[in-house]
C-alpha cells in the first residue's frame, strides 16, 4: 500500500545548490483506521474493522466481532506507505497479513511495539504503537484499482487520479504505463464534482462487476469528504470490487490542511505525535518554523528567505544543512533557547550557524537567547554567529561579555565557510 504515486505526480522538493532534498510537508496525517472511520461517516463503503492495543484485545475482537470469519486481515498502523512490502526489525516480513482466525493473536503480538521499515520510512523505520493494530474482515475482492484526490497547483483546484490497476506496485505501473493513469482536472471548487466528472473517474477505474451508478455515487461521496474536511490528499490503494458487486475502499490514507485546524478540531484531535519527527513536534510547541533535514550544520535564522539563502550558501561552501529553522521577526529569548535545544538534540549536527539580520528581530534579543541557551543546553558543537542590523552592537557586546567560545563572522560567506570548516575539521 503506497502513497508514492501521488508524490510522483505532485512532487515538491527543496533545491539546494543544485541538489534536491525532499521537503517535509506540514499537514496532518492520520492512521488508516481513522481514515476508514471518517470515510464510513460519509457513506463510503469500507471493510468492517477494529483497532486493538494488546494481544488480549485482538483475541476478544476475533471472538466477538469476527466470530464467523475464518480469515482476517491484520494491519500494522504507522504513518507511512509501503507497509505490505515492509520488514520489521524483528525479522517479520510484511506489515499487512492475511491469516487464519486462530493465528491473528500471534501475528498481532509480533507487530505491536515493533519497528517497521518501509521504503517511505527510511532505514530507521517507525514503531507500530502499542495501540495501533487494525483488524479487518477479509473481503472477497475480484478487482483492485487505484484512486486518489489531491490538490493541483497549476489549476488551483482538486485533481482526481484513477487507475484500473492498483496494489503494492502502483508506482512501477505508473512509470511503465502512464497511459493507464486517468486525471480528472480541473474540478470547479465552487460548482463541485458533476456526474460527468464522476463518470470519467469510474471509466478510468474500469470496474468489472460493480454497479456503475453506485460507483459514481461513491466517487462523489469521496469528493465531498475531501472538500468538507479540508483534505490535501485522499488516497485509496486499493479501491476494490467485491464479489457482491460493491466498490469498497480497502485502504485509507488522508492528509489534512494544517491551516484548517481551527475548524476541523475533531479531525486534528486524531493527530499522533509519536509518529512525527520529535524535533518538529517540539518546534511546533515553541511556535518555531522548523523542518528537519539530513545534514550536519544546524541553522537558526530569522526570515524564511534568509533561511533558504543560508542553506544554499552552506551547500555552495561544501556542507549540508541539518534543518530549516526560521525564528521569525519577534522571537523571544525563550524561543531562542528552545531553538537551541532542538538543534542540539540532533546527533548528526556537528556545528550550528546562527544568521540574524535584525529588522523587527533585534540582535540583542538573539544574543541574550544564545547566552541563556548555553546555560540550559550543553553546547558540545561549535557555534558560528553572524549578526547584522538592529541593535547589532549591543548584541555583539552581550556575546563578547558572556565569555562563550563563539566563532563570529563578518558576512554570510564568511559564516558559511567557518561553519563548514568547524563541522568537518
Amino acid at each position: 500500500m503506497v502513497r508514492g504515486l501521488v508524490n510522483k505526480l505532485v512532487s515538491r522538493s527543496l533545491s539546494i545548490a543544485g541538489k534536491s532534498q525532499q521537503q517535509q510537508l506540514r499537514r496532518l496525517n492520520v492512521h488508516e483506521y481513522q481514515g476508514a472511520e471518517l470515510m464510513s461517516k460519509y457513506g463510503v463503503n469500507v471493510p468492517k474493522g477494529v483497532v486493538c492495543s494488546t494481544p488480549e484485545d485482538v483475541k476478544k475482537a476475533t471472538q466477538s466481532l469476527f466470530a464467523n470469519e475464518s480469515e482476517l486481515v491484520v494491519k500494522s498502523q504507522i504513518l507511512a506507505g509501503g507497509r505490505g512490502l515492509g520488514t520489521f526489525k524483528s525479522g517479520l516480513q510484511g506489515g499487512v497479513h492475511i491469516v487464519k482466525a486462530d493465528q491473528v493473536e500471534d501475528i498481532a503480538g509480533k507487530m505491536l511495539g515493533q519497528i517497521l521499515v518501509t521504503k517511505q520510512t527510511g532505514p530507521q523505520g517507525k514503531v507500530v504503537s502499542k495501540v495501533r493494530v487494525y483488524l479487518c474482515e477479509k473481503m472477497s475482492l475480484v478487482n483492485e484499482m487505484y484512486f486518489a484526490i489531491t490538490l493541483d497547483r497549476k489549476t488551483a483546484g482538486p485533481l482526481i487520479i484513477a487507475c484500473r490497476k492498483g496494489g503494492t506496485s502502483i508506482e512501477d505501473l505508473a512509470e511503465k504505463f502512464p497511459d493507464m493513469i486517468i486525471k480528472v482536472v480541473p474540478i470547479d471548487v465552487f460548482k463541485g464534482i458533476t456526474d460527468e466528472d464522476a463518470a470519467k473517474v469510474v471509466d478510468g477505474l474500469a470496474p468489472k462487476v460493480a454497479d456503475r451508478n453506485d460507483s459514481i455515487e461513491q466517487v462523489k461521496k469521496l469528493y465531498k469528504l475531501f472538500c468538507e474536511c479540508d483534505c490535501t490528499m485522499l488516497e485509496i490503494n486499493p479501491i476494490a470490487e467485491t464479489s457482491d458487486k460493491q466498490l469498497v475502499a480497502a485502504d485509507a490514507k488522508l492528509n489534512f490542511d494544517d491551516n484548517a485546524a481551527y475548524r476541523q478540531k475533531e479531525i486534528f484531535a486524531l493527530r499522533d505525535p509519536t509518529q512525527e519527527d520529535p524535533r518538529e513536534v517540539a518546534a511546533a510547541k515553541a511556535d518555531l518554523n522548523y523542518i528537519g533535514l539530513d545534514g550536519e550544520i544546524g541553522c537558526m535564522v530569522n526570515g524564511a528567505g534568509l533561511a533558504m539563502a543560508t542553506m544554499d550558501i552552506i551547500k555552495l561552501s561544501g556542507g549540508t544543512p541539518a534543518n530549516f529553522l526560521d525564528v521569525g521577526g519577534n522571537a523571544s529569548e525563550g524561543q531562542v533557547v528552545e531553538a537551541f535545544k532542538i538543534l542540539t538534540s540532533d546527533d548528526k549536527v556537528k556545528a550550528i550557524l546562527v544568521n540574524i539580520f535584525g529588522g523587527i528581530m533585534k540582535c540583542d534579543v538573539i544574543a541574550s537567547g544564545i547566552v541563556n541557551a548555553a546555560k540550559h543546553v550543553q553546547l558540545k558543537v561549535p557555534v558560528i554567529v553572524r549578526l547584522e542590523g538592529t541593535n547589532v552592537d549591543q548584541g555583539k557586546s552581550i556575546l563578547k561579555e558572556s565569555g562563550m567560545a563563539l566563532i563570529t563572522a563578518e558576512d554570510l560567506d564568511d559564516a558559511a565557510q567557518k561553519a563548514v570548516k568547524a563541522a568537518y575539521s
Side-chain angles (χ1 to χ4, degrees):
M1 309 297 180
V2 299
R3 112 180 32 235
L5 175 60
V6 171
N7 289 339
K8 283 190 175 184
L9 291 172
V10 272
S11 62
R12 288 170 54 184
S13 63
L14 196 59
S15 181
I16 304 174
K19 183 177 180 180
S20 179
Q21 294 190 10
Q22 187 65 35
Q23 182 177 359
Q24 297 187 24
L25 307 183
R26 296 200 166 197
R27 74 284 189 264
L28 175 69
N29 189 1
V30 299
H31 288 285
E32 177 190 3
Y33 78 93
Q34 296 167 326
E37 289 173 359
L38 187 57
M39 286 183 180
S40 181
K41 290 179 181 178
Y42 275 80
V44 177
N45 298 326
V46 297
K48 180 175 68 175
V50 62
V51 67
C52 298
S53 58
T54 66
E56 290 73 24
D57 290 342
V58 171
K59 183 177 181 180
K60 290 179 182 178
T62 304
Q63 294 174 344
S64 58
L65 296 177
F66 304 106
N68 298 322
E69 302 288 342
S70 60
E71 290 183 308
L72 291 174
V73 183
V74 185
K75 298 185 174 185
S76 57
Q77 296 293 281
I78 62 170
L79 295 181
R83 292 172 298 159
L85 297 177
T87 303
F88 285 90
K89 289 193 173 181
S90 62
L92 178 67
Q93 296 292 317
V96 178
H97 286 257
I98 299 174
V99 297
K100 301 292 184 182
D102 59 1
Q103 299 174 336
V104 171
E105 185 180 352
D106 177 63
I107 199 71
K110 291 178 179 178
M111 291 183 180
L112 286 164
Q114 299 300 312
I115 297 174
L116 178 61
V117 179
T118 77
K119 60 183 177 182
Q120 290 190 17
T121 65
Q124 73 278 6
K126 285 194 174 185
V127 175
V128 178
S129 169
K130 293 185 178 180
V131 291
R132 295 289 185 268
V133 167
Y134 188 36
L135 302 187
C136 295
E137 63 176 318
K138 179 182 178 293
M139 307 191 78
S140 178
L141 305 181
V142 298
N143 187 27
E144 295 186 4
M145 302 154 286
Y146 177 92
F147 177 91
I149 310 176
T150 188
L151 295 174
D152 181 50
R153 284 175 171 263
K154 185 176 180 180
T155 61
L159 164 69
I160 299 181
I161 304 168
C163 181
R164 63 180 182 271
K165 296 289 184 181
T168 55
S169 60
I170 184 65
E171 291 171 305
D172 295 334
L173 184 105
E175 186 173 347
K176 294 177 182 177
F177 305 103
D179 293 342
M180 294 181 66
I181 308 299
I182 303 299
K183 303 178 189 178
V184 179
V185 64
I187 295 176
D188 190 324
V189 292
F190 299 105
K191 184 179 179 181
I193 190 170
T194 65
D195 287 342
E196 183 181 1
D197 291 331
K200 287 180 181 178
V201 175
V202 172
D203 290 342
L205 294 172
K208 298 177 180 178
V209 299
D211 182 84
R212 177 179 172 80
N213 290 332
D214 289 346
S215 298
I216 288 173
E217 289 304 311
Q218 286 289 298
V219 169
K220 290 165 68 176
K221 288 175 180 178
L222 287 165
Y223 180 83
K224 183 180 180 182
L225 184 160
F226 182 87
C227 293
E228 291 187 359
C229 294
D230 292 299
C231 293
T232 56
M233 189 192 77
L234 181 156
E235 184 185 41
I236 304 171
N237 184 32
I239 188 167
E241 295 178 272
T242 63
S243 56
D244 57 356
K245 300 182 180 181
Q246 280 194 323
L247 194 66
V248 175
D251 184 33
K253 292 187 177 71
L254 288 87
N255 294 162
F256 304 88
D257 189 344
D258 283 353
N259 294 308
Y262 73 96
R263 66 184 182 194
Q264 301 290 354
K265 290 182 172 58
E266 288 187 12
I267 290 175
F268 276 77
L270 303 176
R271 181 185 179 193
D272 182 4
T274 66
Q275 292 282 304
E276 301 174 19
D277 186 330
R279 301 169 300 173
E280 295 189 11
V281 173
K285 290 180 180 179
D287 198 23
L288 296 168
N289 297 311
Y290 177 95
I291 299 174
L293 299 173
D294 55 3
E296 293 83 25
I297 299 177
C299 306
M300 185 172 73
V301 191
N302 68 313
L306 185 59
M308 293 293 288
T310 302
M311 295 163 68
D312 281 343
I313 204 162
I314 287 173
K315 287 293 293 182
L316 287 170
S317 300
T320 54
N323 63 275
F324 169 97
L325 174 54
D326 170 19
V327 297
N330 58 351
S332 64
E333 287 186 23
Q335 285 177 300
V336 175
V337 171
E338 288 302 314
F340 264 94
K341 288 181 179 179
I342 294 168
L343 293 177
T344 55
S345 69
D346 187 345
D347 293 335
K348 295 191 299 291
V349 169
K350 305 302 181 185
I352 296 174
L353 172 55
V354 180
N355 183 26
I356 301 298
F357 188 86
I360 300 173
M361 183 75 252
K362 296 178 175 61
C363 293
D364 58 321
V365 173
I366 290 291
S368 296
I370 293 172
V371 173
N372 287 332
K375 297 177 182 178
H376 294 86
V377 181
Q378 285 189 328
L379 295 176
K380 298 180 180 179
V381 298
V383 178
I384 298 86
V385 181
R386 180 252 183 169
L387 298 177
E388 286 294 344
T390 306
N391 295 351
V392 64
D393 292 334
Q394 294 95 312
K396 290 181 177 179
S397 294
I398 291 171
L399 294 177
K400 185 177 180 179
E401 293 169 4
S402 71
M404 295 176 60
L406 300 172
I407 301 172
T408 58
E410 295 302 318
D411 55 39
L412 185 49
D413 281 323
D414 185 38
Q417 291 167 10
K418 287 180 176 177
V420 171
K421 182 179 179 180
Y424 302 110
S425 60

